[in-house]
Amino acid sequence: MPALLLPATAIATLVGINVLQAVYPLLKPSPIPTEADLSKITVSSLENLGRSGLIGLYHSLPSGAPLSEGNYEGQLLKVGPLHPVSRLITHRMFPPSNCDLWLGKRIVNEVEGDNIFRSTSYKETQADKEDVPKIQNLAPISFTSSTCARPFRLEAGQSVIDKRPCLRLDYSTGKNKFPWSGMCDELREIRPGMYLGLGSMAVTGGTWNSALFVLEKRKETPPPPALDVEKW
């Protein structure tokens, strides 16, 4: 029992820090960024803000325009004490079988979408090298070797952390199994086509203990094949 107590205490401490970093911006709001400020934002500049700074930015952003149909590249931000755990879950546990990396999201229509994953059969081609994604430098999205799975429902709603409008991606569609059925993403628009997101699972504490990510609209390309989610 004592051997288990130490790691459990460490995890509880890190979760507590994550929650405090989400609460602090409510007590000391960040200045509202100008349109010029938002136009200059990059993944690196976002990560330099740290977790509290990012959540402060999230508070100041508008809900923004609904996500339009198409493919969005995703980048998990390396902020907060639990970001290595978030990366492990996102890139190793969240992908279905025969996939190994989360690459982004596909918006099918105004109420439906799913996630894009890299297939384990992926082999970089010259075309991929010439079409490097703008924000995902981990691996190019090759639509001949990626798969869509983990569907969600798009809806307008209120953020759990500040009760202001946001875009919500709800995974309780009846097509996802536990624990993915308890997932929810909140999004707010940084600038047209670019969104800051809070990704969370009920089993790990919900939105107060969320992982932060960015979505950016990709130029139009044929979508990857959809996976039969009932198999997973």
Side-chain angles (χ1 to χ4, degrees):
M1 183 65 71
L4 294 175
L5 187 58
L6 184 59
T9 301
I11 291 172
T13 300
L14 293 176
V15 169
I17 292 172
N18 251 15
V19 172
L20 287 174
Q21 289 176 335
V23 171
Y24 179 75
L26 289 171
L27 305 177
K28 188 177 181 181
S30 301
I32 298 176
T34 65
E35 190 172 322
D37 293 331
L38 297 176
S39 70
K40 300 174 184 176
I41 282 180
T42 65
V43 170
S44 295
S45 67
L46 287 173
E47 290 183 332
N48 288 339
L49 292 175
R51 180 176 165 79
S52 285
L54 279 171
I55 293 179
L57 174 63
Y58 180 81
H59 287 315
S60 71
L61 293 173
S63 176
L67 280 74
S68 58
E69 293 181 18
N71 304 310
Y72 289 75
E73 294 166 30
Q75 177 92 9
L76 195 63
L77 299 172
K78 298 178 183 177
V79 294
L82 287 174
H83 84 78
V85 177
S86 297
R87 295 181 74 79
L88 174 67
I89 293 172
T90 302
H91 292 307
R92 299 304 178 201
M93 299 172 66
F94 188 44
S97 299
N98 301 319
C99 295
D100 63 357
L101 292 172
W102 175 72
L103 296 176
K105 297 183 186 290
R106 177 182 68 161
I107 305 304
V108 178
N109 55 47
E110 61 183 13
V111 295
E112 296 177 309
D114 46 25
N115 287 270
I116 304 173
F117 301 95
R118 190 180 75 174
S119 300
T120 51
S121 59
Y122 169 83
K123 292 183 180 179
E124 188 177 45
T125 65
Q126 186 60 37
D128 292 329
K129 294 176 182 178
E130 295 170 358
D131 186 26
V132 178
K134 291 170 289 185
I135 67 169
Q136 174 58 271
N137 54 21
L138 185 62
I141 296 180
S142 170
F143 288 104
T144 60
S145 56
S146 57
T147 299
C148 287
R150 312 296 188 212
F152 50 78
R153 180 174 58 251
L154 287 84
E155 58 189 24
Q158 283 190 337
S159 171
V160 170
I161 60 176
D162 64 9
K163 308 305 180 186
R164 291 180 51 246
C166 68
L167 304 175
R168 290 174 55 86
L169 312 182
D170 183 357
Y171 289 75
S172 60
T173 62
K175 297 180 179 179
N176 294 306
K177 295 181 179 179
F178 178 85
W180 318 122
S181 57
M183 284 182 59
C184 181
D185 297 331
E186 292 187 4
L187 300 174
R188 283 184 178 152
E189 189 177 55
I190 296 173
R191 58 174 178 261
M194 188 177 192
Y195 295 81
L196 178 61
L198 307 179
S200 63
M201 293 194 296
V203 73
T204 58
T207 307
W208 292 101
N209 188 36
S210 56
L212 288 108
F213 64 94
V214 177
L215 291 179
E216 189 165 7
K217 185 73 179 287
R218 183 179 167 87
K219 65 183 181 182
E220 292 305 317
T221 56
L227 184 69
D228 180 0
V229 294
E230 296 300 329
K231 292 172 60 178
W232 313 100

